Every structure is written in structure tokens, then in C-alpha cells.
Amino acid sequence: MTGIFDSGVGGLSVLRELLKLLPGESYLYFSDNAHSPYGDKTGDFVLQRSRAIVSDLIEQGCKIIVVACNTATSAAISQLRQEFDVPFVGMEPAIKPAVLKTRSGVVGVLATAGTLKGEKYHTTRDRYAEGVAIVEHVGRGFVELVEQGRLSGPEVEKVVAESVAPLVEAGADALVMGCTHYPFLSDVIQKVASSLSPTTEFSIIDPASAVARRFLSLRQKQEDYNPQWEQKSGDYQVQFQASGSDENLRRLYELYVLNQ
């Protein structure tokens, strides 16, 4: 069984990609929505929550853990790898593919404050961003919108525009989703960006598919791996747990994962 956790529903954007590659695996998804968002929490708090969640997932039989949260990856994954004897897959800032996509030479990164302050993000940015300008902005209010299930409409567009506009004004044409919640708002982000700069062709960069490929390569090496899991047969084996209500989690799973 594979364990997945996030501060809320954002990790569903990763789960969707995992199911494409390994639909027959059993998944246990934990949403720490009682403590969401992680982006404005201290690194120590996120580490403590991550440690407790991982311990519980392993106790329930999970053989590999996907940290489907950029902030938790940045704050905790190095320590988790030292403390627990299972493989971990974390979120990678998608700077490299964005650098390859940009025509303007400017890459915009939307992320939480916690991710943008993290060493992992800075290391990745410095490694791949030579010759390209990187502009960054916190997606203020994005996580809250997604957790509430508000994914479209004029009010959502207004919130999104406040964070996307500075990136567009700086000339960015490749926009990196630096939080697993943000892909839920991809259509709105594309719409807002295009309205601000109608002649620009924008690329929205979501790292979830690359993370899923990394997960599959690690899972295939484990002793209990069954190649038949790669074949879809019947319903997905997905369990949900949450520190708060799981109502919105299940609703968005049906809407965003099952209907895609």
C-alpha cells in the first residue's frame, strides 16, 4: 500500500497522476486539513505534523510515502528519510521544464511562502535558472479557495489575478505551480494570465506527472510489487483519512480524479 499526505486536498493532483501509472495499487490518502494551510506555518510545526502522519501511515501498512505537498517536502522530507525506513517521494520545484518552455526568458513561480523560503527550492532554482529570469509570488488565498471547493467564478478570478499579475507584468510566460493545490486553479490562472497579456502564449507547469514517474520507479523495486497493478481493473483502491472533515476531499476526488 502507498501512503500519500498533504495539508489538504492539494495532493489529489498528484494522486490523479499516480492512478494513471499504477491504478491497481492500494492508496491511503491523509489530509491534514485541520492544520491547513502549511505555507504560513513554521518549519518545525510542519516537520512535527509530517513525522506524526508518516508514523501513522507506516503503522497502517504503507510501504512507500508520497509527500504530496511542496511545503512539507521542503520542511521535512530530509529528516523523514533519516528517521523512517521506507522510500519517500517528494515534490520537485518544476524549474527545469519551465526553463525549457519559456520563450520570453522569464519564468514565474507561484508557491507558498514556506516553499519559496526553503533550501530545496533555492537549490533547484539556482541549478537550472542560468540565463533565465525567475520571478516569484505567493499564491495568496489559493489554498483556501481550493480547500473550500471554490475553483471558478469572478471572485476566484479576482483573488488569482492579485498574484498572477506581478508575474505577467514581469514578462513571465511559463508559470510554475509550486503547490499541489494550485493545479485545481489552472484554468483560472490561464484565463487571468491571458486576459492580462492577450498576445502571450502561457505554459502552466505542473510537476505531478514527473513525481508520479519517480514514484513508479521506486515502487517497482520493492519486494511486494505486483506488475499487475499497472493494469486497470475495476474501481481504484483509495482510502481517505483527514484530521478534519473529509467531505470536500471526497467531493473533489470524485470531480477531479474520477471524472478525468
Side-chain angles (χ1 to χ4, degrees):
M1 182 163 61
T2 292
I4 309 167
F5 79 92
D6 179 41
S7 65
V9 301
L12 292 177
S13 64
V14 179
L15 175 61
R16 183 173 68 166
E17 299 303 317
L18 301 184
L19 289 170
K20 291 178 182 178
L21 297 182
L22 205 60
E25 164 72 306
S26 297
Y27 297 92
L28 176 53
Y29 185 110
F30 185 88
S31 165
D32 196 20
N33 53 3
H35 302 98
S36 181
Y38 277 177
D40 59 1
K41 304 295 193 300
T42 67
D44 285 344
F45 179 86
V46 175
L47 173 58
Q48 290 174 11
R49 288 301 305 154
S50 299
R51 182 185 286 127
I53 293 165
V54 167
S55 179
D56 188 52
L57 290 173
I58 292 174
E59 186 174 333
Q60 295 185 70
C62 294
K63 305 296 185 182
I64 184 171
I65 306 294
V66 179
V67 185
C69 173
N70 295 73
T71 302
T73 297
S74 180
I77 199 166
S78 294
Q79 188 65 30
L80 295 174
R81 284 173 171 149
Q82 294 179 32
E83 295 181 13
F84 297 97
D85 190 25
V86 298
F88 284 88
V89 182
M91 301 303 300
E92 290 291 334
I95 302 297
K96 183 179 180 180
V99 168
L100 296 174
K101 283 276 190 179
T102 182
R103 295 181 177 88
S104 67
V106 182
V107 169
V109 179
L110 288 163
T112 67
T115 294
L116 292 177
K117 290 186 295 185
E119 180 180 350
K120 188 176 184 68
Y121 168 72
H122 286 276
T123 300
T124 303
R125 182 194 63 186
D126 295 345
R127 180 185 305 148
Y128 296 116
E130 184 176 353
V132 172
I134 304 291
V135 290
E136 303 154 347
H137 206 282
V138 173
R140 299 194 186 283
F142 287 21
V143 171
E144 291 84 349
L145 286 173
V146 175
E147 287 296 318
Q148 295 165 14
R150 299 170 61 198
L151 309 181
S152 63
E155 292 185 7
V156 174
E157 292 174 17
K158 181 179 179 181
V159 172
V160 168
E162 291 176 356
S163 294
V164 170
L167 304 183
V168 174
E169 291 167 2
D173 64 347
L175 305 178
V176 176
M177 302 293 97
C179 171
T180 55
H181 283 76
Y182 295 2
F184 285 94
L185 298 170
S186 290
D187 290 346
V188 175
I189 292 169
Q190 182 76 250
K191 179 180 179 180
V192 167
S194 297
S195 70
L196 293 169
S197 182
T199 61
T200 302
E201 182 177 342
F202 290 95
S203 297
I204 308 296
I205 313 297
D206 178 5
S209 59
V211 171
R213 291 192 297 271
R214 174 60 177 164
F215 156 76
L216 179 61
S217 69
L218 291 177
R219 192 69 176 105
Q220 288 172 331
K221 297 174 183 177
Q222 294 186 290
E223 290 183 0
D224 69 328
Y225 181 75
N226 185 343
Q228 292 183 355
W229 294 342
E230 297 179 27
Q231 306 300 317
K232 183 175 180 179
S233 59
D235 295 331
Y236 297 131
Q237 301 176 69
V238 180
Q239 303 175 57
F240 292 106
Q241 298 176 359
S243 55
S245 170
D246 67 357
E247 180 180 353
N248 194 44
L249 177 65
R250 293 179 182 276
R251 185 178 70 83
L252 286 180
Y253 171 71
E254 293 179 3
L255 177 67
Y256 188 79
V257 178
L258 295 184
N259 292 332
Q260 300 297 315

